[in-house]
Amino acid sequence: MSESLPPRRFPGSGLAKGLAVTLRTMTRRTVTAQYPDVQPELPPRTRGVIALFEENCTVCMLCARECPDWCIYIDSHKETVPAAAPGGRERSRNVLDRFAIDFSLCMYCGICIEVCPFDALFWSPEFEYAETDILELTHERDKLREWMWTVPAPPALDPAAEEPKELAAARKTADKYAAEAEAEAQAAATATATAASQATPEAPSATPEAPSAGSGKAAPDDTAPGPEGTP
C-alpha cells in the first residue's frame, strides 16, 4: 500500500497568501478606539475593581484569609449590643474600622468575592484608577464604597425565581433605616404633644349648685314650727 504524499506546493505560495491578507486588510475601514473621548463598551462581567457593600460585611475575615496575595487589610473592634427584650442577654458584635485593598498586589482572581458568605464584595467594571505613585493604589473602604454604585444590576431571572441577594440586602437595609426614622418621628411627635398638654392651664372648678327638687334633700323652711313656746 503506497503512502499518501503531501500536497504539492508551488514556490512562493506562502508569500502570495501573506500578500493577499495584507491587501484584504488594506481595503477595509480602520476601527480605532477613540479612548478617552469615547468610552469602551465593556462586557457585562468585566473584572475592573472590587467594590465593597459595607452594610453586609460582618468582619468574618474570610476574604483576607483566602486571598492568595494577602492584599486585603481589615481592622475592627467589638461593641456590646444591649438586650432587645427585658431580661435578655447582651450580645457582642464586630464593627468594621478599616477595609482596604492593595491593587498593586491584587491579581484579580476573584476568590475574595466567591468566598464572601454575606455578599459584601462585588466586581465593578470601573478601570480608570491609575496612579502615579504605587503607594496610592491601596484604596480604603470609602473609595471601595463609591465603586459599589458602578456595579451593574444582576441579570434578570425567571418570574418565579427568588429575589437576588443583593437587592434583598439593600432593601432590608433601606427598610431598617426607614423604620428607625419613622420611630424617631413618632417619638418626637409624642413628646411634643405631652409637653403641650402639660403646659395648658387647668380650667377652674365650677361652683356647687343648689340641690334639685328631686334630689331627696329638702331645703330649709323658715315657716316650719319651732320648739314649744317659740312664736
Side-chain angles (χ1 to χ4, degrees):
M1 184 177 183
S2 59
E3 297 180 357
S4 58
L5 299 177
R8 187 176 180 180
R9 302 181 62 181
F10 295 98
S13 60
L15 178 61
K17 289 182 179 180
L19 292 176
V21 172
T22 302
L23 292 175
R24 187 165 56 250
T25 305
M26 291 176 61
T27 57
R28 294 178 180 176
R29 184 179 179 180
T30 59
V31 179
T32 304
Q34 302 295 333
Y35 178 82
D37 297 333
V38 179
Q39 293 293 324
E41 296 182 1
L42 301 176
R45 301 180 64 182
T46 299
R47 295 188 175 187
V49 290
I50 299 173
L52 171 67
F53 191 52
E54 187 176 343
E55 285 77 2
N56 287 359
C57 183
T58 60
V59 200
C60 64
M61 305 293 292
L62 192 58
C63 57
R65 290 198 301 266
E66 297 295 333
C67 178
D69 294 331
W70 292 87
C71 62
I72 301 177
Y73 312 109
I74 301 176
D75 293 331
S76 64
H77 69 277
K78 288 185 176 293
E79 285 186 358
T80 301
V81 180
R89 186 176 61 179
E90 296 181 348
R91 298 181 297 106
S92 62
R93 67 174 180 179
N94 294 324
V95 179
L96 185 65
D97 293 331
R98 185 195 183 198
F99 194 107
I101 299 179
D102 187 357
F103 285 96
S104 64
L105 299 177
C106 179
M107 64 179 183
Y108 305 91
C109 62
I111 293 179
C112 57
I113 299 176
E114 296 295 332
V115 301
C116 179
F118 301 103
D119 291 332
L121 298 174
F122 298 89
W123 278 119
S124 168
E126 185 68 29
F127 63 92
E128 298 176 319
Y129 59 97
E131 301 289 348
T132 57
D133 189 357
I134 193 173
L135 298 178
E136 296 180 359
L137 285 175
T138 301
H139 296 291
E140 301 293 334
R141 64 176 182 175
D142 295 337
K143 187 64 176 179
L144 303 179
R145 172 80 177 199
E146 294 179 3
W147 283 333
M148 184 63 204
W149 311 122
T150 63
V151 174
L157 301 177
D158 295 335
E162 296 181 357
E163 186 180 31
K165 296 181 180 179
E166 300 87 354
L167 297 180
R171 184 174 291 104
K172 182 179 179 181
T173 303
D175 294 343
K176 177 182 177 182
Y177 289 156
E180 291 179 354
E182 184 178 357
E184 292 179 358
Q186 291 181 355
T190 304
T192 304
T194 304
S197 62
Q198 292 178 354
T200 304
E202 297 181 356
S205 59
T207 56
E209 297 180 355
S212 60
S215 62
K217 295 182 180 179
D221 190 3
D222 295 338
T223 61
E228 295 180 0
T230 304

